[in-house]
Amino acid sequence: MSTNVPLADCCTMGIGGAARHFTTITSLEELNGALRWAGENREPFFVLAGGSNVLFSDAGFPGLVIHMAIKGISFNEDSGSDGVVVQAAAGEDWNAFVDTCVERGLQGIECLAGIPGQVGATPIQNVGAYGQEVSDTITRVQVIERTGGDPFWISNTDCGFGYRTSRFKGRDRNRFIVTAVEFALKPGAPPLTEYRDISRHLEQARIASPTLAQVRDAVMAVRRSKSMVVDPSDPDSHSCGSFFTNPIILPEEAESLRAAALEAGLITADETMPAHPTSDGRVKLSAAWLIDRSGFKRGQRHGNVAISSKHVLALTNCGGGTAREILALATEIRTRVRDTFGILLEPEPVLPAITLPPS
Ligand SMILES: Cc1cc2nc3c(=O)[nH]c(=O)nc-3n(C[C@H](O)[C@H](O)[C@H](O)COP(=O)(O)OP(=O)(O)OC[C@H]3O[C@@H](n4cnc5c(N)ncnc54)[C@H](O)[C@@H]3O)c2cc1C
């Protein structure tokens, strides 16, 4: 176990003070040992995976950060009508896992290539991109209670998956630690190309019947063009990805919002407001569009942090940025979108024990 470990080095945002204690665990035994230590020493603890969806406090974390590093992937090719059942330990790198599955011709997660972080973090907010979400292919999630003990499986239907959420982020956010995830993937099935950015990219490359690998490559190219792949040399990727989730509202609310925006001159009569129907009959608005129409611009700088120069939904650390600055910018965006459209944007990243130091 180490002490005073800078958390800025452990997350994609590059922000955060030190963890009072820090340990990397590579097995269930080590995980249980760390939990026992935290309990005996009455230390709060935080489970850290790839650090791509957290904003650590400038004051650091006043307890034990447990860095997940349990590895292992197994394929069961004889899973019958379920396709190929694949189990991956929580500490496996997500993008490398997607690559491995794509190379084996297993369809179902090719559009999720390039999302940073670990396999075990994907069910937490039900990661999704370009028409796929992990909840489409997860069969069950293996967990242990945060008090320690033996692992057990929770089936997909009991995970409470929704848009960028699950029971692990919601009602049970302080209850479980994910130790492995099981997926059912389809061998030889055609890749998903329904998302416009991806189909347009394939069209431009004159690829009519793309392979899984070609769709994965298209996803990576589109993501890179938006700085949505972590790249140390690209300052726009020093972020948590999207800082806000897309708001989901009732269709009649979307209608009156559009009418009000029209009346206020925020859109013209021939313009459409981006709004996609969801499976439960509601409508998903574009947080990026709302931010843009509230007057924020790409590349807009606030001290040492900024809105990404590629799209308004990502907040970036330009170097030397602080959590205080990111939160101030996020609050300004949230307040102005609320005042303009009456919609309160929800932050996507986790803010572990954010306690702002006195100013
Ligand atoms: C450039 C960029 C692009 C992104 N693009 C997308 C995208 O397209 N779609 C999308 O959905 N997200 C995206 N994200 C957000 C992020 O990558 C995902 O949410 C990812 O799953 C987080 O994984 P992580 O390993 O980094 O988790 P961390 O950031 O380390 O942790 C996130 C949260 O999950 C918890 N957690 C992690 N592992 C476990 C575990 N084993 N058990 C219990 N709790 C755990 C942590 O405690 C924390 O609360 C992007 C982020 C960046 C920086």
Side-chain angles (χ1 to χ4, degrees):
M1 188 168 306
S2 315
T3 50
N4 279 323
V5 173
L7 290 167
D9 297 344
C10 307
C11 61
T12 52
M13 195 65 118
I15 283 177
R20 185 154 33 177
H21 304 283
F22 188 101
T23 187
T24 297
I25 58 96
T26 59
S27 66
L28 282 171
E29 295 68 36
E30 287 179 8
L31 175 56
N32 271 309
L35 295 174
R36 221 172 14 254
W37 183 91
E40 283 163 9
N41 290 281
R42 304 181 68 79
E43 292 278 357
F45 68 89
F46 179 77
V47 178
L48 174 67
S52 63
N53 212 26
V54 283
L55 176 61
F56 285 113
S57 160
D58 299 317
F61 186 75
L64 172 65
V65 169
I66 301 175
H67 181 221
M68 173 62 72
I70 305 177
K71 305 279 186 196
I73 301 178
S74 67
F75 293 86
N76 183 354
E77 311 275 349
D78 305 318
S79 315
S81 60
D82 285 346
V84 171
V85 170
V86 190
Q87 285 183 5
E92 287 289 341
D93 177 78
W94 173 254
N95 189 45
F97 175 66
V98 173
D99 278 347
T100 303
C101 294
V102 165
E103 299 316 325
R104 284 179 167 244
L106 300 176
Q107 192 273 337
I109 52 176
E110 64 280 3
C111 296
L112 304 176
I115 297 180
Q118 297 186 348
V119 167
T122 61
I124 307 292
Q125 72 153 6
N126 183 20
V127 301
Y130 305 110
Q132 285 177 342
E133 289 182 327
V134 280
S135 58
D136 300 337
T137 43
I138 285 178
T139 47
R140 49 188 189 151
V141 174
Q142 191 195 57
V143 298
I144 67 167
E145 298 273 357
R146 281 179 184 247
T147 43
D150 292 327
F152 56 94
W153 290 96
I154 298 179
S155 70
N156 176 307
T157 45
D158 289 333
C159 287
F161 287 127
Y163 165 66
R164 289 307 161 275
T165 195
S166 72
R167 69 188 283 188
F168 311 115
K169 191 175 179 182
R171 69 188 143 103
D172 281 329
R173 78 180 297 155
N174 289 317
R175 181 161 172 206
F176 300 116
I177 297 173
V178 174
T179 48
V181 186
E182 186 183 89
F183 300 83
L185 303 175
K186 296 197 180 66
L192 189 77
T193 57
E194 72 182 27
Y195 203 89
R196 230 184 54 211
D197 284 2
I198 304 306
S199 55
R200 201 186 298 134
H201 184 92
L202 291 164
E203 259 167 52
Q204 280 164 2
R206 297 179 190 281
I207 300 172
S209 306
T211 61
L212 272 184
Q214 284 170 324
V215 169
R216 182 264 325 267
D217 294 347
V219 167
M220 291 301 285
V222 171
R223 291 186 72 93
R224 272 199 199 93
S225 70
K226 299 177 179 174
S227 295
M228 289 304 265
V229 175
V230 172
D231 173 356
S233 66
D234 176 1
D236 275 326
S237 76
H238 301 168
S239 74
C240 290
S242 303
F243 201 89
F244 298 103
T245 54
N246 291 319
I248 298 182
I249 61 176
L250 295 170
E252 52 272 28
E253 290 172 334
E255 260 319 302
S256 36
L257 197 91
R258 187 178 188 281
L262 196 59
E263 202 176 306
L266 294 166
I267 54 170
T268 56
D270 52 1
E271 249 183 310
T272 50
M273 182 178 80
H276 302 285
T278 60
S279 54
D280 62 1
R282 292 185 295 162
V283 169
K284 194 194 309 178
L285 304 180
S286 160
W289 187 87
L290 295 168
I291 294 169
D292 181 81
R293 292 306 163 107
S294 300
F296 292 95
K297 295 281 160 268
R298 295 173 190 186
Q300 203 168 316
R301 233 183 128 127
H302 292 246
N304 294 318
V305 303
I307 295 173
S308 160
S309 71
K310 306 286 175 29
H311 65 103
V312 290
L313 209 43
L315 307 188
T316 64
N317 175 12
C318 310
T322 61
R324 176 186 282 277
E325 286 177 300
I326 290 283
L327 290 178
L329 176 54
T331 304
E332 194 185 325
I333 292 172
R334 244 184 143 203
T335 307
R336 207 181 310 160
V337 169
R338 187 204 54 200
D339 293 349
T340 310
F341 290 101
I343 300 262
L344 195 58
L345 295 177
E346 289 303 326
E348 190 184 295
V350 176
L351 315 176
I354 284 281
T355 39
L356 291 176
S359 49

